[in-house]
Amino acid sequence: ESAHTVTKIQVPVEEEKKEEKKDAKKSEKSEKKEEKMETEETQENGSDSDEKMKENGAEEIISEEKKKPKMKTKTIQNSLEVTSSKKGFTPKELQEAWERENSMIATDKLIKDRLNAKNAVEEYVYDMRDKMYGNLSKFISEADKDVYLAELTKTEDWLYDEGENCQKQVYINKLAELRKVGDKVLMRSAESEGRQGALNLLGSSLVQVRKVLELVTNKDEKFDHLSEEDVKTLAEKDLEYQGVFNDLCNKVSNQKLHEDPVVTVAQINLKRKEFDDKCQPIVNKPKPKVEPPPVPAEEKKEEPTETPMESTDSNTEQAPPPPADPPADPASADPSSMDLD
């Protein structure tokens, strides 16, 4: 499509023929009235003639305004020639621009990753230094703590001197060196918090099995379905893992906080799982379904006589036949007297 510009101009609107005829008649009538007015009113005073002149002048102005052509806005489109003064990029130029953009993106990513690695080292130094004086102080010996604090300070000074603009891998290696000591201290803290809870869970499992054995000894109906082999297995496992529990408790009580744990939370949980896997299926063993006792043979024979197939009236009434000689007094119908007869 060719370009174009838009121009708006004012043009007169052609009047209709009817309007022209009306204007002509009105002008003729006005002229006749003026002639009559001039001949008839020559004797009137000057003031009346002045007023009539004003009226005649107003009519002339109105008629002149009506004679003015009406205007309307018309839009005209003018063609516009457009010429391009710059050519598009060639495929080679586009490829070079794309390569430059990717190179800048890769450079920005390297700078960002390097700064993130540096910030990680700095944050770790500040965080571990605060914890060494706080909640982690009891999980490291005083001699080791002094050495570690000195290493943290040395790393901090290095960051603002020689380590200001190092490569990303240099910061990663520096952080890994600091974590060798810091992760051990954090592990000791986590193990100390979780050991007692793990021992409590193992002790609860032992108590549950011991209560079941007591109920079995007291002939409780809830566990009277357990076989002798099941009861024997529960007793053996209870005795075995009670010794394991006591051994773990002794080791934990002798554990020093600033040393690596002899017994871990994972080891305690493993022992509890072994015990539960062997005992819980027996403890939760469902009781067998009790079948109702068999009906005696005599009752089975009498069943057809008790409910004979009769008419609807006999089934609904189900009354015994009347005696041959009913007594006059209802009291005489005692079952004992009937048996005697």
Side-chain angles (χ1 to χ4, degrees):
E1 296 181 359
S2 60
H4 60 269
T5 58
V6 177
T7 305
K8 294 182 179 181
I9 60 174
Q10 298 289 331
V11 296
V13 180
E14 295 183 356
E15 296 180 353
E16 297 180 355
K17 294 181 179 180
K18 292 181 180 180
E19 292 180 356
E20 293 178 354
K21 291 180 180 179
K22 289 180 180 179
D23 293 339
K25 289 181 180 180
K26 287 181 181 179
S27 60
E28 289 178 359
K29 290 180 180 179
S30 61
E31 289 177 357
K32 290 179 180 181
K33 287 181 181 179
E34 289 177 0
E35 291 177 357
K36 289 180 181 181
M37 292 295 291
E38 290 178 356
T39 54
E40 291 176 356
E41 295 178 358
T42 52
Q43 296 177 357
E44 293 180 1
N45 54 19
S47 61
D48 293 336
S49 63
D50 293 338
E51 291 178 358
K52 290 180 180 180
M53 290 294 291
K54 292 179 180 179
E55 291 177 359
N56 293 333
E59 290 180 356
E60 291 178 357
I61 293 170
I62 292 171
S63 62
E64 289 178 359
E65 290 178 354
K66 289 183 177 180
K67 291 180 180 180
K68 289 181 179 180
K70 294 181 180 180
M71 307 298 287
K72 70 175 183 178
T73 303
K74 185 177 181 181
T75 303
I76 300 176
Q77 293 185 354
N78 301 319
S79 60
L80 179 64
E81 184 179 356
V82 178
T83 57
S84 178
S85 60
K86 181 168 179 62
K87 298 180 181 179
F89 289 104
T90 62
K92 183 179 180 181
E93 291 174 341
L94 289 174
Q95 180 67 23
E96 292 176 354
W98 181 78
E99 292 177 355
R100 286 195 301 270
E101 181 181 7
N102 288 340
S103 177
M104 288 186 289
I105 293 173
T107 303
D108 291 342
K109 187 178 183 302
L110 289 175
I111 294 173
K112 183 178 179 180
D113 292 344
R114 183 182 66 82
L115 293 176
N116 288 338
K118 179 183 177 182
N119 292 336
V121 177
E122 186 177 18
E123 291 174 4
Y124 187 83
V125 168
Y126 293 151
D127 183 54
M128 290 304 295
R129 179 186 292 160
D130 292 340
K131 290 179 178 179
M132 286 296 106
Y133 291 108
N135 58 345
L136 295 182
S137 60
K138 57 185 176 181
F139 297 104
I140 186 172
S141 63
E142 290 297 326
D144 292 339
K145 181 168 67 174
D146 293 339
V147 175
Y148 191 57
L149 288 173
E151 184 64 25
L152 292 175
T153 303
K154 181 180 178 181
T155 302
E156 182 184 9
D157 296 337
W158 173 81
L159 284 172
Y160 297 105
D161 189 8
E162 297 177 0
E164 180 69 25
N165 294 311
C166 293
Q167 296 296 324
K168 172 185 173 181
Q169 192 60 41
V170 176
Y171 296 119
I172 293 175
N173 296 338
K174 182 65 69 172
L175 181 61
E177 292 178 4
L178 297 176
R179 285 186 178 276
K180 289 180 181 179
V181 178
D183 288 352
K184 285 185 178 181
V185 179
L186 292 171
M187 180 268 295
R188 294 168 191 163
S189 175
E191 288 291 330
S192 177
E193 293 176 0
R195 270 196 301 267
Q196 191 59 48
L199 285 173
N200 291 340
L201 292 175
L202 177 58
S204 298
S205 297
L206 290 167
V207 170
Q208 182 187 13
V209 172
R210 195 169 295 116
K211 287 182 178 179
V212 172
L213 290 173
E214 292 177 359
L215 293 174
V216 172
T217 304
N218 295 331
K219 306 297 182 181
D220 192 283
E221 294 180 358
K222 188 177 180 181
F223 296 100
D224 60 359
H225 61 286
L226 297 181
S227 64
E228 293 182 359
E229 186 67 25
D230 293 337
V231 176
K232 181 181 178 181
T233 301
L234 290 178
E236 290 177 353
K237 296 305 175 184
D238 176 63
L239 182 62
E240 176 186 353
Y241 281 88
Q242 184 63 46
V244 173
F245 177 75
N246 294 335
D247 181 57
L248 293 174
C249 289
N250 291 331
K251 291 179 179 179
V252 169
S253 62
N254 296 325
Q255 176 70 54
K256 294 181 180 180
L257 296 178
H258 64 271
E259 295 179 352
D260 292 339
V262 179
V263 178
T264 63
V265 175
Q267 292 172 345
I268 300 173
N269 290 335
L270 180 60
K271 293 296 181 183
R272 177 174 61 86
K273 185 178 182 303
E274 291 175 356
F275 180 73
D276 289 343
D277 290 345
K278 294 174 182 177
C279 297
Q280 288 301 318
I282 299 174
V283 173
N284 297 322
K285 186 177 182 180
K287 297 184 68 173
K289 294 182 179 179
V290 180
E291 298 181 359
V295 181
E298 296 178 357
E299 293 182 3
K300 290 183 179 179
K301 292 179 181 179
E302 293 177 359
E303 286 179 0
T305 59
E306 290 178 359
T307 58
M309 298 297 292
E310 296 179 358
S311 62
T312 307
D313 296 337
S314 63
N315 290 335
T316 54
E317 292 177 0
Q318 294 180 357
D325 297 326
D329 187 2
S332 62
D334 186 75
S336 60
S337 64
M338 293 176 66
D339 295 335
L340 292 174
D341 291 341

